[in-house]
Amino acid sequence: MTKLIFITGTTSGFGRAIATKFAQNGHNLIITGRRQKLLDELADDLRKTYGVEVLPLCFDVRNLSEVEQAVASLTGPWREIDVLVNNAGLAVGMNPVHEGVVDDWERMIDTNVKGLLYMTRMVSPLMVARKQGHIINIGSVAGKEVYPMGNVYCGSKFAVDAITKGTRIDLVTHNIKVTQIAPGAAETEFSLVRFKGDETRAGNVYKGFSPLSAEDIADAVYYVTTLPAHVNVNDMVLMPTAQASAVNFHKI
Ligand code: NDP
Ligand code: 8X3
């Protein structure tokens, strides 16, 4: 059965790989991000390569009115969203709390927590009305364990962990599945964004071991959507084999 998958943050990393995975399997997509050109290129590529329908919507998940307008702009079958993947997110900076950059904190909280909430608030009523749907939140190992200088990023992902549980409780009577996928270290644009464009510092994060790839996460997201109607994965923590906890790595 062809499904409609709404994925936030598809201009790179996990989101891009998740969109590609669902397109490969014949599903239609609503893809989002703030970089219009990358979004349009991905939409064209997925349409041409896989013959699926793709609706690109360029907006910032931090902006409530943009989120409202994006969802309100959906008509007809585009409102029948089967899966929402709340993936858009970021870490910005890595400082001890007494040297923290308040603007970095606000970007993380506004994107990872408030953006995810805005999206859920706007899309979940469409699922409730249809008595079906699946919300998948991309959390992190940082939402399971706090590590040095992770302070606010970890806080934002602990919030995702709690919000995922709360969303599941609230929507259980509406037949809506709610899943968290919580990855460890994965090589995407994540560290480049965290270290504000410093390629050397970003590259060092993944030296000496094999990190997860965006495709590994896409496989996990796709898998949880293929289970029978009565089965839900509540929470999946996914690590590189060489990572045992937020801070324990086997590097060679
Ligand atoms: P990337 O930086 O590669 O991708 C992040 C995506 O989020 C981009 O498409 C970006 O698009 C989008 N995005 C960021 N801010 C906004 C915004 N305000 N509005 C709309 N879209 C936005 O990182 P990843 O793919 O690694 O990260 C995806 C998710 O996975 C994040 O939630 C991250 O916290 C989480 N994660 C990452 C891990 C890792 O090690 N990589 C591990 C665990 C979790 P654009 O810039 O075009 O807006
Ligand atoms: C991203 C992984 O370990 O940098 O969420 O927090 S980590």
Side-chain angles (χ1 to χ4, degrees):
M1 191 194 69
T2 302
K3 293 183 187 169
L4 176 60
I5 321 293
F6 191 139
I7 309 154
T8 63
T10 60
T11 54
S12 77
F14 298 171
R16 187 183 176 89
I18 295 164
T20 305
K21 181 78 184 179
F22 279 99
Q24 281 167 348
N25 285 279
H27 299 295
N28 297 326
L29 304 169
I30 301 170
I31 59 172
T32 82
R34 292 166 299 174
R35 288 171 287 179
Q36 181 89 62
K37 189 166 177 285
L38 291 177
L39 205 54
D40 290 342
E41 283 169 2
L42 179 64
D44 282 347
D45 182 41
L46 295 178
R47 283 187 202 111
K48 276 187 202 134
T49 311
Y50 303 109
V52 295
E53 292 184 42
V54 185
L55 179 65
L57 294 176
C58 189
F59 66 91
D60 188 328
V61 295
R62 292 173 296 180
N63 186 318
L64 177 58
S65 62
E66 286 185 25
V67 175
E68 284 173 336
Q69 278 170 30
V71 178
S73 73
L74 301 173
T75 54
W78 291 109
R79 294 176 71 77
E80 295 176 7
I81 297 160
D82 296 296
V83 181
L84 167 65
V85 186
N86 277 315
N87 165 73
L90 77 183
V92 197
M94 216 175 169
N95 303 301
V97 75
H98 65 288
E99 292 170 1
V101 178
V102 172
D103 184 58
D104 293 350
W105 295 356
E106 286 174 344
R107 284 177 64 193
M108 290 187 274
I109 292 168
D110 289 352
T111 310
N112 302 353
V113 183
K114 292 169 70 179
L116 178 144
L117 282 169
Y118 295 163
M119 285 301 308
T120 302
R121 177 64 185 87
M122 296 306 141
V123 172
S124 59
L126 303 178
M127 294 179 169
V128 167
R130 296 173 66 224
K131 290 282 178 218
Q132 66 180 74
H134 193 165
I135 298 173
I136 301 173
N137 292 334
I138 305 298
S140 171
V141 63
K144 304 287 182 184
E145 301 168 48
V146 180
Y147 53 80
M149 296 187 284
N151 43 58
V152 176
Y153 179 66
C154 293
S156 75
K157 290 297 184 178
F158 268 72
V160 171
D161 191 67
I163 290 164
T164 304
K165 289 173 182 153
T167 305
R168 187 180 310 115
I169 291 166
D170 293 344
L171 298 182
V172 71
T173 52
H174 299 281
N175 191 40
I176 294 168
K177 297 185 183 191
V178 182
T179 298
Q180 173 173 250
I181 305 283
E187 191 161 12
T188 60
E189 290 181 12
F190 177 83
S191 290
L192 201 58
V193 172
R194 169 172 252 177
F195 298 123
K196 304 180 180 179
D198 184 335
E199 290 181 10
T200 309
R201 204 169 166 201
N204 283 341
V205 173
Y206 309 107
K207 281 219 173 108
F209 73 106
S210 297
L212 296 172
S213 68
E215 288 71 27
D216 295 327
I217 308 308
D219 286 349
V221 170
Y222 183 74
Y223 166 73
V224 302
T225 68
T226 59
L227 297 171
H230 68 288
V231 181
N232 182 50
V233 173
N234 286 356
D235 199 4
M236 186 191 287
V237 182
L238 206 68
M239 303 276 235
T241 305
Q243 181 178 11
S245 76
V247 292
N248 289 96
F249 289 83
H250 176 57
K251 294 194 178 188
I252 45 173

